[in-house]
DNA sequence: CGGCATCCTTAGGGATACTG
DNA sequence: CAGTATCCCTAAGGATGCCG
């Protein structure tokens, strides 16, 4: 059985180990993220939304839909529902990104930059910059040695 | 109006320019990618699938569903349906990634690494390595100056 | 303010059968 | 092999209204 395949090479039927949706972590991730609404709620969490009302108004979702998806996000550990307190205000509950949720940032940024490039005439409404240095930020593929990796230089191989 | 916001800071109501789903390129991208099936088909295109039958059997989708999503992917310009020819075989049509489709690779890799980290006990079934150098490949946020960028160092600002 | 209950419409997607 | 045509079921998600 082939153990290493190049992207995008010729598909070998023996490479079927790459296509098992029960273990493929792309498929598993999509099982958690599932819908557009989920991504929009995550977007707002990154932008700093914490209150139910903020999520509803800023995503444009209906409140039952937002409620259901927020609950799933909490159940799946991407958001945490915890009390917080603005000074002088009464204590309130709010949704906050967990580490698990925050690590989806490269995916969101990847979607943004792809959309900026291919789905917007103007390059999109917003850009990301590195605070301090000020340079533009992108999601890119790098190896541990620091090389930028092009699609043709990618090898997929089984773990272990 | 606030023109720059930090991730993940406090949400300012004036930041509503970030939440317009008609221009937000995250929302627009999700409009194109929409469903789990679409991502699975793209995954297979990256792995080298070209024939309808390969997409069906490897994604586990039903053929009507695969047919509908593949058509959308072609209509949206992520795949191209073009004739190709294996040596000695008759000419056949096949689906191939366009540049537009291929540039979604960071998103797919992002989903894979997130799933490997958070949804798999074993670190996932597969890993990506840099051909030649051999080091592990990840999707990461970098600025044009080459700095790795952490979530707290990200600034979002309007284009133009 | 932060939801839940209800109702409704639509789209996603499987099973099966059929065609060029 | 590469799909299309039906049929059917389920989930997503909006609208409206209510409630602590």
């Amino acid at each position: 059985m082939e153990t290493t395949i190049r992207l995008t090479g010729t598909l070998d039927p023996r490479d079927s180990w790459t296509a098992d949706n029960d273990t493929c972590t792309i498929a598993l991730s999509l099982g958690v993220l599932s819908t557009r609404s989920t991504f929009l709620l995550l977007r707002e969490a990154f932008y700093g939304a914490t209150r139910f009302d903020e999520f509803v108004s800023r995503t444009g979702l209906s409140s039952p839909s937002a409620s259901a998806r927020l609950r799933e996000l909490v159940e799946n550990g991407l958001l945490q529902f915890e009390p917080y307190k603005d000074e002088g205000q009464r204590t309130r509950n709010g949704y906050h990104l967990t580490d698990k949720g925050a690590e989806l940032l490269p995916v969101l940024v990847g979607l943004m930059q792809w959309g900026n490039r291919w789905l917007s005439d103007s390059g999109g409404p917003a850009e990301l910059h590195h605070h301090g240095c000020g340079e533009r930020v992108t999601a890119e593929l790098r190896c541990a040695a620091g090389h930028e990796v092009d699609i043709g230089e990618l090898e997929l191989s089984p773990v272990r």
Side-chain angles (χ1 to χ4, degrees), chain A:
Chain A
M1 155 162 121
E2 194 67 61
T3 54
T4 295
I5 72 175
R6 289 283 282 285
L7 272 58
T8 315
T10 305
L11 196 60
D12 189 309
R14 298 168 299 175
D15 292 332
S16 60
W17 63 273
T18 58
D20 176 3
N21 288 346
D22 292 335
T23 57
C24 167
T25 49
I26 296 176
L28 292 176
S29 297
L30 294 170
V32 170
L33 300 170
S34 63
T35 67
R36 180 184 135 102
S37 326
T38 306
F39 279 95
L40 295 182
L41 291 166
L42 277 176
R43 178 192 72 188
E44 291 308 324
F46 279 108
Y47 288 170
T50 57
R51 302 200 336 268
F52 182 81
D53 197 50
E54 288 172 340
F55 284 104
V56 169
S57 67
R58 294 178 52 91
T59 58
L61 297 173
S62 66
S63 102
S65 176
S67 175
R69 299 301 143 245
L70 283 171
R71 179 203 304 276
E72 288 173 4
L73 283 166
V74 170
E75 283 170 359
N76 287 320
L78 297 156
L79 297 180
Q80 205 171 347
F81 190 65
E82 53 190 16
Y84 71 100
K85 194 159 133 55
D86 297 333
E87 64 262 68
Q89 309 276 320
R90 67 185 165 86
T91 301
R92 236 178 229 156
N93 292 317
Y95 298 90
H96 295 271
L97 279 169
T98 61
D99 289 344
K100 184 176 177 181
E103 286 188 19
L104 276 170
L105 185 57
V107 174
L108 267 288
V109 172
L111 288 172
M112 182 189 290
Q113 83 190 15
W114 185 80
N116 282 355
R117 170 85 198 274
W118 294 100
L119 303 178
S120 169
D121 294 334
S122 57
E127 281 176 353
L128 293 168
H129 295 270
H130 187 190
H131 178 71
C133 136
E135 293 286 347
R136 190 105 71 106
V137 173
T138 58
E140 53 186 43
L141 301 184
R142 293 250 182 185
C143 74
H147 306 126
E148 227 185 311
V149 179
D150 191 65
I151 184 170
E153 306 163 355
L154 263 181
E155 284 179 354
L156 185 79
S157 44
V159 168
R160 206 158 333 257

